[in-house]
Amino acid sequence: MKFNTKVIHGGQEHDPAYGSVMPPIYQTTTYAQSTPGGHKGYEYSRTHNPTRNTLENAFASIENGNYGLAFGSGLAAIDAILKLLQPGDEVVSTNDLYGGTYRLFTKIYENFGIKFHFIGMENTSRIEEYITPDTKLIWVETPTNPMMNIIDIVAVSKIAKKNDVLLAVDNTFATPYLQRPLDLGADIVMHSATKYLGGHSDVVMGALVVKDKDLADKLYFIQNASGAICGPQDSFLVLRGIKTLHIRMQRHCENGKAIAIYLANHPKIENVYWPGFESHPNFEVAKSQMDDFGGMVSFTTKGNNYEEAIRIVENLKIFTLAESLGGVESLAGHPASMTHASIPKEEREKTGIVDSLIRLSVGIEDEGDLIADLEQAIG
Ligand SMILES: *Cc1c(COP(=O)(O)O)cnc(C)c1O
């Protein structure tokens, strides 16, 4: 099955009871047993739920994995991965990563005796310097937020395999429409399904997909034992979202490209961060591991003026000033005052998050309307 067919049918069967084309929302906590232990595969909905299972199978299908797991949020999915570790273990992670992931690593798991090394992985040659006999996990996010850095998944996976370390990739920004980390050698692919997979800014959810049965069994055990699951209603909504992932992503990519090019030619704009430019430092890697370049675009204005950036995001009319990304509607954010405000100015500027940086999640509205909106806001 090709991807465009998988998003609609992958891992899904018509409901055996009445043939309903969409899975019923099994809004139940428990399942009748004819005799103790005599059930139809379902006992209690923390452990299993038919609607959630259908979604988990769909996750596995679109990421070319064998096993999918759904969680109550993207962070709950990352939390489950970290519970594979023990005190004394070490993790090597990208240094430009989602703020909530960084917070989970440093404010929760460091307290449990896990050590994290945050390093730039745009050049993979330095990764092995940080690998010790205690290293159990490499954590990669690509493209990164908000600087759109690109990390070579194949190169990192070779290092991970050579050193017998698990490689997990946060594939939230790219989605499997653009990039399939398991095919590139990763062991675990993770999503904030809140973003493009759900796609309509109406559900918070997380996902994991793996190929290996032993790894899947450990993660299912953690999912059930820790209990950070999602409900059947949300499972239904994300399954519905996935059915249009390919056509939404196609338009996100088209609009993202048009806006990146428009901004790059604008006299008031200094830098545009989008992995589809030949001038992007890892353009060749992006071209080889991604099928297109996505709908996330960041930019800075000439003079790097904080107040001017605030004025631009306030003036936007079609773009909504909001956190999050990946929905059908276009959003704009100002990292220095919003998502990254808690990081000291000198620290955030080291990774490129300067005062005038604006991040766009380009939606699937009309391209001309979006450009006209930017035009009037930038002035
Ligand atoms: C949003 C996001 C997360 C966290 O997911 P939640 O669903 O908000 O818990 C993790 N990684 C990336 C790249 C994200 O954008």
Side-chain angles (χ1 to χ4, degrees):
M1 240 191 259
K2 294 277 187 349
F3 185 81
N4 292 353
T5 310
K6 280 186 176 183
V7 292
I8 294 166
H9 300 291
Q12 299 171 50
E13 282 156 21
H14 299 156
D15 186 66
Y18 298 106
S20 71
V21 167
M22 279 303 278
I25 300 168
Y26 281 96
Q27 194 76 47
T28 186
T29 57
T30 189
Y31 306 82
Q33 308 191 6
S34 54
T35 180
H39 55 73
K40 298 178 176 168
Y42 295 91
E43 287 171 285
Y44 184 61
S45 282
R46 171 165 27 73
T47 320
H48 296 118
N49 174 280
T51 316
R52 194 178 89 217
N53 280 9
T54 304
L55 174 67
E56 291 178 327
N57 291 339
F59 283 151
S61 170
I62 59 175
E63 281 287 1
N64 293 345
N66 297 321
Y67 306 94
L69 298 97
F71 293 86
S73 70
L75 281 170
I78 303 173
D79 183 74
I81 298 174
L82 289 171
K83 284 177 176 150
L84 295 166
L85 307 180
Q86 293 185 351
D89 287 349
E90 297 189 13
V91 179
V92 178
S93 167
T94 40
N95 61 358
D96 180 25
L97 82 167
Y98 180 72
T101 308
Y102 181 78
R103 182 176 57 198
L104 178 67
F105 288 178
T106 56
K107 297 279 195 262
I108 308 278
Y109 279 96
E110 273 183 1
N111 291 340
F112 287 89
I114 293 168
K115 190 169 171 189
F116 295 86
H117 302 272
F118 297 98
I119 64 170
M121 291 193 192
E122 295 80 61
N123 177 346
T124 52
S125 66
R126 289 187 53 226
I127 296 175
E128 274 194 295
E129 291 170 31
Y130 295 87
I131 294 185
T132 75
D134 293 324
T135 309
K136 296 289 154 57
L137 177 70
I138 299 178
W139 184 266
V140 164
E141 194 180 307
T142 182
T144 65
N145 172 26
M147 298 312 298
M148 308 307 293
N149 291 320
I150 299 289
I151 292 157
D152 186 339
I153 299 173
V154 170
V156 180
S157 83
K158 284 185 185 146
I159 295 166
K161 286 202 170 52
K162 184 175 151 210
N163 292 281
D164 202 19
V165 174
L166 284 177
L167 170 61
V169 175
D170 182 337
N171 204 28
T172 301
F173 268 38
T175 83
Y177 177 78
L178 300 177
Q179 165 176 289
R180 289 152 306 275
L182 298 179
D183 290 351
L184 301 171
D187 301 290
I188 306 174
V189 52
M190 172 264 151
H191 278 277
S192 169
T194 314
K195 316 293 169 53
Y196 288 106
L197 297 189
H200 296 75
S201 306
D202 51 9
V203 182
V204 174
M205 189 187 287
L208 298 181
V209 179
V210 303
K211 281 189 164 164
D212 181 74
K213 169 117 185 18
D214 286 347
L215 184 55
D217 285 345
K218 285 181 191 156
L219 289 166
Y220 283 126
F221 181 84
I222 293 166
Q223 183 193 38
N224 181 46
S226 288
I229 51 135
C230 54
Q233 179 90 37
D234 285 353
S235 299
F236 177 90
L237 285 171
V238 171
L239 191 67
R240 181 167 74 170
I242 287 175
K243 285 174 190 278
T244 54
L245 179 66
H246 56 316
I247 49 174
R248 284 187 286 109
M249 287 309 293
Q250 185 181 351
R251 182 63 71 85
H252 283 298
C253 290
E254 287 166 11
N255 285 354
K257 179 178 184 179
I259 284 174
I261 292 170
Y262 160 77
L263 290 169
N265 289 314
H266 196 291
K268 288 192 177 169
I269 302 304
E270 178 83 47
N271 294 307
V272 183
Y273 302 96
W274 177 68
F277 287 127
E278 279 180 38
S279 57
H280 186 288
N282 266 348
F283 173 68
E284 290 303 326
V285 177
K287 214 171 62 172
S288 72
Q289 74 186 13
M290 298 172 74
D291 295 327
D292 204 336
F293 303 106
M296 299 300 299
V297 181
S298 299
F299 65 96
T300 60
T301 49
K302 285 188 178 143
N304 190 32
N305 186 296
Y306 186 95
E307 285 71 30
E308 185 184 34
I310 301 282
R311 184 184 56 74
I312 292 170
V313 293
E314 283 177 354
N315 282 350
L316 287 165
K317 294 192 169 62
I318 297 176
F319 283 85
T320 301
L321 177 60
E323 300 198 358
S324 199
L325 62 112
V328 290
E329 63 285 296
S330 292
L331 303 180
H334 180 242
S337 66
M338 296 166 71
T339 45
H340 295 67
S342 59
I343 306 173
K345 188 172 152 83
E346 310 79 62
E347 280 302 308
R348 63 175 158 78
E349 291 198 338
K350 274 187 208 157
T351 54
I353 303 168
V354 299
D355 283 350
S356 73
L357 186 78
I358 292 172
R359 188 195 77 178
L360 303 177
S361 170
V362 179
I364 64 171
E365 301 95 333
D366 180 78
E367 172 190 310
D369 284 345
L370 294 178
I371 290 177
D373 193 27
L374 289 164
E375 181 80 24
Q376 64 81 21
I378 296 167

